[in-house]
Amino acid sequence: MEFRVEDAIHWFTVVNDKIQENKENLTTLDQVIGDSDHGINMARGFQEVVNKLSTQEYEEVADVLNHVAMTLISKVGGASGPLFGTAFLKFSQAVKGINPVDYDSFTKGLEEALQGVKQRGKAKLGEKTMIDVWSPVVDVFQSEKGFEDNLFIEVAREAMENTKHIMATKGRAAYFKEKSIGHIDPGSASTYMIFEALAEVIKGRK
Amino acid sequence: MEFRVEDAIHWFTVVNDKIQENKENLTTLDQVIGDSDHGINMARGFQEVVNKLSTQEYEEVADVLNHVAMTLISKVGGASGPLFGTAFLKFSQAVKGINPVDYDSFTKGLEEALQGVKQRGKAKLGEKTMIDVWSPVVDVFQSEKGFEDNLFIEVAREAMENTKHIMATKGRAAYFKEKSIGHIDPGSASTYMIFEALAEVIKGRK
Amino acid sequence: MKKIINDPNIVVQDMLKGMVAANPATIKQLPDTTVIVRSDAPTINKVGLVSGGGSGHEPAHAGYVGKGMLDAAVAGEVFTSPTPDQVLEAIKAVDGGSGVFLVIKNYTGDVLNFEMAAELAEAEGIKVEHVIVNDDVAVEDSSFTTGRRGIAGTIFVHKIAGAKAEQGATLDEVKSVAEKVVANVRSMGMALTPCTVPAAGKPSFNLKENEMEIGIGIHGESGIERKEISTADEIASELVTKILDDGVHVRGDDVAIMINGLGATPEMELNIVNSKVNEILNEKGIHVYKTFIGEYMTALEMAGCSVTLLKLDDELKTLLNLSSEAPAFRV
Amino acid sequence: MKKIINDPNIVVQDMLKGMVAANPATIKQLPDTTVIVRSDAPTINKVGLVSGGGSGHEPAHAGYVGKGMLDAAVAGEVFTSPTPDQVLEAIKAVDGGSGVFLVIKNYTGDVLNFEMAAELAEAEGIKVEHVIVNDDVAVEDSSFTTGRRGIAGTIFVHKIAGAKAEQGATLDEVKSVAEKVVANVRSMGMALTPCTVPAAGKPSFNLKENEMEIGIGIHGESGIERKEISTADEIASELVTKILDDGVHVRGDDVAIMINGLGATPEMELNIVNSKVNEILNEKGIHVYKTFIGEYMTALEMAGCSVTLLKLDDELKTLLNLSSEAPAFRV
Ligand SMILES: Nc1ncnc2c1ncn2[C@@H]1O[C@H](COP(=O)(O)OP(=O)(O)O)[C@@H](O)[C@H]1O
Ligand SMILES: Nc1ncnc2c1ncn2[C@@H]1O[C@H](COP(=O)(O)OP(=O)(O)O)[C@@H](O)[C@H]1O
Ligand SMILES: [Mg+2]
Ligand SMILES: [Mg+2]
Ligand SMILES: [Mg+2]
Ligand SMILES: [Mg+2]
C-alpha cells in the first residue's frame, strides 16, 4: 500500500476526531500526574490542524505533515506542542519529494520523528513519556514489511498501557516520582490515538 | 434589697459565665445578620472584666460598674463595645456615691444607661438593636417598686424574642433589610443574658 | 477552616509582627497596641492621618501607612472595629501639632469607636477632624438607617487626603479634599464564596455551587441579590450600571477605576472584569484616567470583586499622582 | 467551578485586554499575539528582557513588564507554555540591537518552546541568551530528570536582570547576573486547596478538609508530603528549613525574602508566616535585608504560599533597589 495526500488528510481528520472525543479523558490523565491541560492542548491544536487541512491544497504527503507540524508548534504549547511538532516536522523532512510514500519511506519518516522527539525532549525510552509509545511502534514498523494495522494498534495500545508501570523522570510527571506509577502517561495516550487513527485509515483503504 | 459591691461582682461573674457558655450561639446569631463576631467580642470583653474583678478592691458599686465599662470599651470593639461600655459608664455615673445602691437608684442608673446607648448609637426602640431589650427592662424597673427577678427575666426574654419580628434599620443587620426579619438580634441576646444574670444574682441573695 | 495561622485568637498580633518585620525601616508598632505608625511619626506641622478598622481586609489599612498616605493604621480584631483607646494611641502618636484627621468607614462600630477616641483626644487638647466614607451603592443612602457602607473607595481617600496632608495642608483643607473624594467615589462588590472569621471557625454564610451574591459587604453582609453566576461581562456591567445609576459619574467625566479583589479571586479574573468596565465607560463617554487592579480592600479569603469609580478634577488628579511610599500603594 | 470569566477558552485574551486597558500608557499587546510589551519597545542599545509562561500565575509575567524590569511577557494558555511563534514575536519586538535575554522557568514545556523560539530568532540574526530558573527545593536537583521547577524566585531574576539591562549592560553581563540570582535563590511552597484550570472545569487534585501539601508546584504538581494542617509557625519552619538545608544561605549572609501568596491565601496569613520566617533567620544569624510580601507568582485560586530566599551581595542589593515601573513590582 502506498500512502497519499488524501490518506494523510484522512489520518489527521481521524486523529482530531479521537482527540476531541477524548479531550476530557486526556485532561483527566494529566490531572493526576500533571497540570490538567493535555486534552485541552491537543484538542486546540488538532482542531486547528483540521480547520486548515480542508481549505488547502497539498502537493505531497510531506506538505501535509509540514502543515500539521507547524500548526501543532504554534497552537499546542506546553511540552507536547514542540514535541509532536518536532516529530511531524522531522517526518515531513524525511519523506520530502516522495509521493506517494511507500512503506519503507514511511518507516524512515517515523524513525526520524522519534529521533526528533528524543533530541528535543532530551529523553529516552522508559521515562514515562510519549517516547514509550513512539519507540515500540517504530520498532514494529522496522520489523514488518508492510502496513499491519491490527498489529500497530495492538503494540501501541500495549505500550500506552505499560506506561502505567513506569516512574516518570522527564516532563511534569517527574515531580510526582513514585506517585506517577499506576497512571497512564497523557502524552502516550494521545500518541496511541495517533497510531490508532493511522491503523484505521489504512484498514479503511484496504 | 440593696445592691452591694459583692452583688455587682457576682453579677458580672455570672454574666461572663453565660457569655462564655453562649459564645458560639451569639456568634451564630451574628453570622446570620452580621459579621460572625458578636460572641467572640463579648467573650473577649467579659473574660477580661472578670479577670480583673477578682484582683481589685472596690469601694462602691459605681467603681465596679466603671471598671466594667472601661474594660468593655477597651476590649470589645465593634458596635457592641462602645454601646455596652457607654451603658455601664452612665450607670456608674448615676449611682456614684450611693452605696449600697437602693432600688430607685438602680432604676435611675438603668435609665441613664439606656439613654447613653440611645445617644451613642443614634438609635431608638424598634430598630432591632439591644435597645429593644434595654428599654422594656427599664420600663418594668420603673413600674415596679422592688427587684422582681422572675418578672425581669420574663420581660427581657420576651423582648429578646420579639427582636425576631423586627426589620433592622441600625447597626450591621440593617444591610440585611427584610432578610433580618425572623432572626434574633445578637446584641439583644447578650443584653438578655446580662439581665438574666442580674435576676439570678438577686434571686440567690433573697 | 483551612488557614495558615497559629491560634485564631492571636492572628492580629501575629500579623502585625510579620508586617513590622517586613518593613522595619518604615513602620513600627506602638508598644502594647495594635497600632502601626510610620517610624518617623509624628511629622511636625503636618496633619496626621489615621485610619483603621477590623482586621481581615489587608492590605487595608496598615499597608497604606507610609509617606504620602497614612501616618497610622489601627487594627481591630478580625471584622471588629478597634477600640477607642487604641485609636487614641494612634492619634497621639501622629499628632505633629497641626491636628489629626481620621478616615472612618461607615460601620456603626467604626464610627462609634473612632468618635469616642476623637472625644478623648480633644479632651487632651488635640484637634481632630474626620470623614466617614460610604461608597457602597449596594446599600441605600439614608439618614434613617445605618446608611451606605465604606468599602474599597476608602483607599482613594487615604491616597488623596494623604497627599494633601503631605503638601502641608491644614486640617480643614485635608478634610475638605477628603469630603470631595467621598462625594465623588462609588463602589459595588459581589462574591462567589463566603469567608471564615478565624475565631468563628465556620463560614459566615453559604452560597450554592452555582450562586453568586451581588452587592455583598466586605464582612459578608447581605447584598442586593443572590442569583446564578453569570459571565464576567454581565457581572461587570451590573456593578458599573448600579454605580452609574447613582448619578455621580456622567458623560465627559474623568474617572479613576479600582478593580478590587476580595481575597481569593485571581488577578486574571480582575483583569477580565476591567476589560468590560473599560468598554462600558468608553461607550458612555466617561474617560478612564487611571486604573488600579489588585487586592486593596479584601474580605479574608472571600472570592469576588468590587468595582470603584472616582470622579476626578484637576486637584484630585494631581493628588492621586503624587508620590506614595506605602507598601500597598506605591506611586 | 466558580470563576468570574466569560468563556473558559478565551480567558487569556480577555485578561490581556483588561491589562492593556489598565495601563494604556505603559504597555501594549502585539497585534494578534498574547505578547505584552512596553509601549516604547524596543529600547535602542538596551538588552531586551523577555519572560513568559503559562497563564494563571498573574501578576506573572505581564505585571512585571515596565522600565527597570521586563520588556515583554509572553502569555500561554492557562498553565500551558506559550508557543515558539509567540515568543519569537516578543523577541523581535524588544530587540534594540543589543540582543535579547530570555528568563525561562524550568518546565519542559517552557524550556522547549523558548528554545525553539531562540533558534528561530537566531536564524533571523538576533542574538539571544537565556537563563533557566529552578529555585524550587521541593524537587531534587538532578540532571537525569526534569530537575527543579522555577517558581517565585523567578521574580527576583526579572527584577535584577531587568535593572542590569536598564543600566546598559551587555547581553553577557545580563546573563551573568541572572545566573548569579539563579545560583542564590531558593524557594518552597505549600498548598491548602487545589485550583481549577478554567477549561478543565474541575480541580486538578483534592486535599481533605484537614490536609495540606508541602512542596507543591504552582500548577498543582505533586509536593513532598501530604499531612494534617499544622500551625503557621510549623509551616514556615518546614519551608525555611528545607531551603536552608540546600546550603546556599548561611550565617552571616544578607538575604531578601519573598512570602508569596498562591492566590486565595489572605495577606494576613502571609504576614503571619513572615513573622516566623524572620524569627528563624534571626536565630540562624542570617540578616534580612529586604522583605516582599504579596502575590507575585500565583496558581490561580490555590490557597497556600511559598517562601523564597535570595542571597545578596553588593551588586544584587544595588540592582534590587533600582527603580522599577512594572505595575506589579514598583520600586
Ligand atoms: N522530555 C520529554 N520528552 C518526551 N515527551 C515528553 C517530555 N516531557 C513531557 N513529555 C510528554 O508531554 C506530555 C505532557 O503534555 P502537556 O500536558 O500538553 O504539556 P505540559 O506538561 O507542559 O502541561 C507528557 O504526558 C509526556 O508524554
Ligand atoms: N446603632 C446602634 N444602637 C444600638 N445598638 C446597636 C447599634 N448598632 C448595633 N447595635 C447592637 O450591636 C450588636 C452587634 O454587635 P457586634 O457584632 O459586636 O458589633 P459589629 O456589628 O460591629 O460586628 C447588634 O446586634 C445590636 O444589638
Ligand atoms: Mg499538562
Ligand atoms: Mg458583629
Ligand atoms: Mg464586627
Ligand atoms: Mg501545561
Side-chain angles (χ1 to χ4, degrees), chain A residues 30 35 37-38 172:
Chain A
D30 199 32
D35 59 349
D37 63 354
H38 187 61
R172 204 177 296 276

Side-chain angles (χ1 to χ4, degrees), chain A residues 30-31 33-39 41 78-80 172 186, chain D residues 79-80:
Chain A
D30 199 32
Q31 230 150 12
I33 54 168
D35 59 349
S36 317
D37 63 354
H38 187 61
N41 293 345
S80 52
R172 204 177 296 276
Chain D
F79 289 1
T80 301

Side-chain angles (χ1 to χ4, degrees), chain B residues 30 35 37-38 172:
Chain B
D30 199 32
D35 59 349
D37 63 354
H38 187 61
R172 206 178 294 276

Side-chain angles (χ1 to χ4, degrees), chain B residues 28 31 35-37 40-41 44 73-74 76-79 82-83 120 122 169-172 175-177 179, chain C residues 77 79-81 83-85 106-109 112-113 116 119 140 144-147 149 202-204 219 221-222:
Chain B
T28 303
Q31 229 150 13
D35 59 349
S36 316
D37 63 354
I40 304 165
N41 294 345
R44 184 175 54 244
I73 289 172
S74 70
V76 175
L83 289 167
R120 186 52 77 199
K122 297 191 184 70
T169 45
K170 290 287 154 63
R172 206 178 294 276
Y175 309 132
F176 293 79
K177 291 192 279 190
K179 280 175 272 178
Chain C
E77 292 296 321
F79 288 2
T80 301
S81 165
T83 54
D85 54 314
N106 190 32
Y107 296 97
T108 306
L112 296 186
N113 286 286
M116 284 179 84
E119 290 164 16
E140 270 159 53
F144 298 106
T145 70
T146 301
R149 300 175 288 223
K202 48 184 185 189
S204 42
H219 311 89
E221 302 99 338
S222 182

